[in-house]
Amino acid sequence: MLGRMEELRDRTAVVTGAASGIGLALSQRFAAEGMRVVLADIEAEPLESARRALADSGAEAIAVQTDVTQPDQLSALAQASVDAFGAVHVLCNNAGVFTAGASWQVPRSDYEWVFNVNIWGVIHGIQAFVPIMLEQDEPAHVVNTASMAGVTRAPMASAYYMSKHAVLSLSETLYLELENGPVGVSVLCPEVINTRIGSADRNRPPHLKRGELDDPSTFELVESALKQATAQGLDPSVMAERVVEAIHDNQLYILSEAGGAWRAACDARLEDLRLARNPSGPALALGN
Ligand SMILES: NC(=O)c1ccc[n+]([C@@H]2O[C@H](COP(=O)([O-])OP(=O)(O)OC[C@H]3O[C@@H](n4cnc5c(N)ncnc54)[C@H](O)[C@@H]3O)[C@@H](O)[C@H]2O)c1
């Protein structure tokens, strides 16, 4: 079947944001499936230890330090992947960051940083790798990490929610553009996962650091709620399980479990849209 990857063994996977959290779990799972793995991340040391751990477990893995906000670095990553392993079959555009705050108070630098990583990072990945995948003309798959934030609504995290809606839309567009060819597309929408996203600021570039805020308390409140929530979140390996299944089935939407609070919030939002009515369902806030 077109766009369906039956076999992962001996194929090559590239993962951005691979040094931590969901990206690390994806890399470990792909290695366990017998894939060759290219780990890409902006953080050099955790990236190298992730590579070493995979290599020690017997996997074929390389690490390429990559800042996804820089298109040239994605082109270099694609070249390094092809040079090392001859082809690329799975691309996970997964690197992402988070900021909080009321939309009228969030500094422009926050919007820029989050959009640069979460939106431009995915665009750069698609532009560097999809032409190679089409040229190869064998089954391949792109997985973009959005979020349940991409299918729901909430106050106090506008930059993040907007960015994840953009990733959802881009993934749907890509799916439709590629559906008659060898490249499948999935969009991963995790709920709350136990990762280091609550400390995303560690990777903020100096020129986009926040200046003095008029009222830092609201920012701090949401950001500390995120840290608490993620500490009790699902293990990232659950996301890796869902992603492998979705690649096998060429399933576009990878959502949280049906019946859970995030799916209820998504359903309520869709119903409000269908009826053109004001938000009525649970506005799922971070920490719920
Ligand atoms: N943790 C959650 O609850 C959750 C929920 C929904 C979606 N997500 C999404 O999952 C993805 C992975 O995040 P995570 O939760 O594993 O967080 P994490 O902080 O543990 O991992 C993110 C990785 O991305 C890397 N990164 C940051 N900026 C980068 C850049 N410019 N270039 C390359 N790499 C960069 C970081 O160094 C880190 O290793 C993100 O897109 C995030 O938005 C996370």
Side-chain angles (χ1 to χ4, degrees):
M1 187 186 187
L2 287 172
R4 190 188 275 261
M5 273 195 77
E6 306 282 355
E7 187 56 58
L8 295 181
R9 179 161 297 280
D10 295 330
R11 307 291 197 273
T12 301
V14 180
V15 180
T16 69
S20 174
I22 296 170
L24 181 58
L26 289 170
S27 306
Q28 290 165 338
R29 178 60 193 260
F30 290 142
E33 296 283 332
M35 298 188 82
R36 303 176 178 111
V37 186
V38 181
L39 304 119
D41 202 285
I42 197 169
E43 279 196 302
E45 278 178 30
L47 178 64
E48 179 49 24
S49 23
R51 185 206 64 78
R52 211 176 311 114
L54 282 193
D56 288 349
S57 73
E60 275 190 82
I62 63 164
V64 183
Q65 191 179 6
T66 307
D67 177 352
V68 298
T69 68
Q70 304 301 315
D72 294 354
Q73 296 194 24
L74 268 297
S75 304
L77 175 66
Q79 192 59 54
S81 308
V82 172
D83 288 349
F85 299 129
V88 176
H89 304 96
V90 171
L91 168 68
C92 296
N93 289 307
N94 168 77
V97 294
F98 177 90
T99 62
S103 43
W104 65 95
Q105 291 176 323
V106 169
R108 186 188 162 96
S109 55
D110 275 35
Y111 283 109
E112 278 186 38
W113 175 49
V114 172
F115 293 174
N116 285 347
V117 180
N118 295 9
I119 302 177
W120 279 106
V122 178
I123 296 170
H124 295 151
I126 288 169
Q127 296 198 332
F129 283 89
V130 170
I132 294 172
M133 290 173 160
L134 289 171
E135 178 78 15
Q136 286 169 182
D137 201 22
E138 48 184 308
H141 205 92
V142 177
V143 182
N144 297 323
T145 302
S147 169
M148 287 305 286
V151 291
T152 58
R153 59 207 167 188
M156 305 304 291
S158 55
Y160 188 75
Y161 272 69
M162 289 168 71
S163 72
K164 294 305 184 178
H165 277 72
V167 174
L168 179 82
S169 174
L170 177 54
S171 306
E172 290 172 323
T173 301
L174 192 66
Y175 179 96
L176 295 171
E177 289 164 347
L178 295 175
E179 70 180 330
N180 296 318
V183 185
V185 179
S186 297
V187 57
L188 173 64
C189 299
E191 54 272 59
V192 180
I193 315 299
N194 189 356
T195 72
R196 296 184 66 210
I197 195 158
S199 314
D201 235 43
R202 68 193 186 277
N203 289 311
R204 193 195 280 247
H207 73 283
L208 295 177
K209 288 278 181 219
R210 272 186 194 158
E212 279 295 300
L213 297 171
D214 291 341
D215 173 15
S217 60
T218 51
F219 293 83
E220 286 160 9
L221 207 68
V222 181
E223 285 170 356
S224 90
L226 177 72
K227 275 191 190 151
Q228 278 176 26
T230 49
Q232 292 156 21
L234 288 177
D235 192 85
S237 60
V238 178
M239 297 303 104
E241 181 72 34
R242 286 185 196 161
V243 165
V244 166
E245 258 179 50
I247 293 173
H248 281 308
D249 298 345
N250 192 22
Q251 175 197 333
L252 174 59
Y253 301 109
I254 312 175
L255 300 177
S256 63
E257 292 284 349
W262 285 97
R263 284 292 282 276
C266 174
D267 291 347
R269 192 265 186 101
L270 291 174
E271 189 63 0
D272 290 340
L273 275 171
R274 195 178 69 79
L275 299 172
R277 111 189 139 188
N278 291 349
S280 61
L284 204 61
L286 288 162
N288 284 5

